[in-house]
């Protein structure tokens, strides 16, 4: 038990270093908190911004609490630091320090110094390599939206299997289309497995049409979406699928078994029926 607590303490220390990320965010927060401990006289403010925040910090750093949190999910334990209002404490402290000066010039200098310190403590987000200009109101890749719209049915919510690169965004756009697995399967720490996912992503160069079709039917998928970046060994048409559409580099296949049933029940849109009949 003692050894486990020692490991937990070491891990949380590493998380703090990573969370600080080479900046002086945490030291600045601790300085601001200490300043409020000494100078803040309002009881309500002390309870909200001094006592409560200090108690939260001690709880999160408690080895027993850390040990329990690490048992639940060590990979995301750092998120408990989000509960600490570091930005609120630092900004409140800066304003309080500024108001201690009566001269407007002195207040202005303190204000400018606070802005400079905050700016030096971070990076301009628009210089990050992962930042890119939004191409739509949803702030997600346009191909996700176009594929989702091609799959959507007015009177039925189908199940569709998608390439892995679409999964992180797809549910953000629509809940009208079900998937046999979501973005959680992409996280190795969660240890999820699925035969259909293996058939879709097991090989980086081609799809095995027979295996994909078999697994997709096991998962009751109406649609199978395949990337044009990979070759298809065999043909989906040979597995009783037809090509419904080609959208933004993705082939959208529909299972004729579901097509016939949904058509008979009057659940298909006219353009889907037209595509299915044309492909026969």
């Amino acid at each position: 038990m003692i050894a486990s607590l020692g490991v937990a303490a070491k891990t949380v220390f590493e998380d703090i270093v990573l969370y600080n990320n080479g900046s002086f965010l945490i030291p600045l927060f601790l300085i601001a908190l200490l300043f409020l401990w000494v100078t803040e006289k309002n009881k309500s403010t002390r309870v909200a911004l001094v006592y409560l925040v200090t108690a939260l910090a001690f709880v999160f750093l408690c080895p027993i609490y850390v040990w329990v949190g690490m048992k639940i999910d060590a990979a995301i334990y750092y998120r408990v630091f989000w509960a600490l209002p570091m930005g609120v404490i630092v900004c409140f402290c800066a304003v309080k320090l500024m108001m201690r000066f009566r001269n407007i010039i002195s207040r202005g200098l303190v204000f400018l110094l606070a802005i400079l310190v905050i700016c030096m403590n971070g990076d301009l987000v628009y210089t990050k390599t992962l930042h890119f200009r939004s191409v739509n109101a949803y702030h997600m890749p346009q191909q996700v939206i176009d594929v989702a719209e091609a799959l959507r049915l007015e009177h039925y919510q189908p199940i569709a299997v998608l390439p892995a690169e679409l999964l992180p965004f797809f549910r953000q756009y629509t809940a009208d289309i079900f998937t046999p697995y979501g973005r959680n399967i992409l996280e190795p720490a969660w240890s999820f497995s699925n035969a259909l996912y293996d058939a879709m992503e097991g090989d980086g160069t081609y799809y095995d049409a027979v295996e994909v079709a078999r697994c997709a039917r096991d998962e009751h998928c109406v649609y199978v979406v395949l990337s044009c970046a990979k070759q298809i060994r065999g043909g989906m048409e040979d597995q009783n699928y037809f090509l419904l559409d080609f959208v933004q580099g993705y082939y959208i296949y529909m299972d004729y078994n579901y097509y016939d049933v949904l058509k008979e029940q009057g659940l298909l849109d006219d353009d889907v029926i037209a595509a299915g009949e044309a492909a026969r």
Side-chain angles (χ1 to χ4, degrees), residues 2 5 24 40 47 71 88 91 102 107 118 123 133 179 188-189 215 225 240 248 250 254 270:
I2 296 177
L5 292 177
F24 46 93
E40 185 56 52
V47 170
K71 286 292 184 181
V88 174
C91 292
R102 295 186 177 182
R107 289 183 175 182
I118 292 173
D123 298 320
R133 184 177 295 277
T179 56
C215 294
V225 181
N240 203 30
Q248 293 272 22
Y250 293 94
M254 187 172 191
D270 292 339

Side-chain angles (χ1 to χ4, degrees), residues 42 123 144 158 178:
N42 184 279
D123 298 320
V144 175
F178 299 115

Side-chain angles (χ1 to χ4, degrees), residues 182-224:
R183 60 169 293 274
N184 51 5
I185 204 168
L186 303 178
E187 300 293 338
W190 292 344
S191 302
F192 290 132
S193 62
N194 182 281
L196 178 54
Y197 177 81
D198 293 339
M200 291 285 291
E201 308 299 334
D203 191 285
T205 58
Y206 71 88
Y207 297 105
D208 186 328
V210 175
E211 186 67 10
V212 169
R214 182 186 67 80
C215 294
R217 288 193 173 112
D218 288 342
E219 297 284 355
H220 311 291
C221 296
V222 175
Y223 296 114
V224 172

Side-chain angles (χ1 to χ4, degrees), residues 48 50-62 65 80 83-85:
V50 179
Y51 300 148
L52 180 59
V53 173
T54 302
L56 284 174
F58 274 109
V59 168
F60 293 154
L61 295 176
C62 174
Y65 184 89
V80 299
L84 295 175

Side-chain angles (χ1 to χ4, degrees), residues 104-120:
I104 190 171
I105 296 178
S106 299
R107 289 183 175 182
L109 291 175
V110 173
F111 174 77
L112 292 176
L113 180 61
I115 295 296
L116 179 62
V117 169
I118 292 173
C119 291
M120 291 174 59

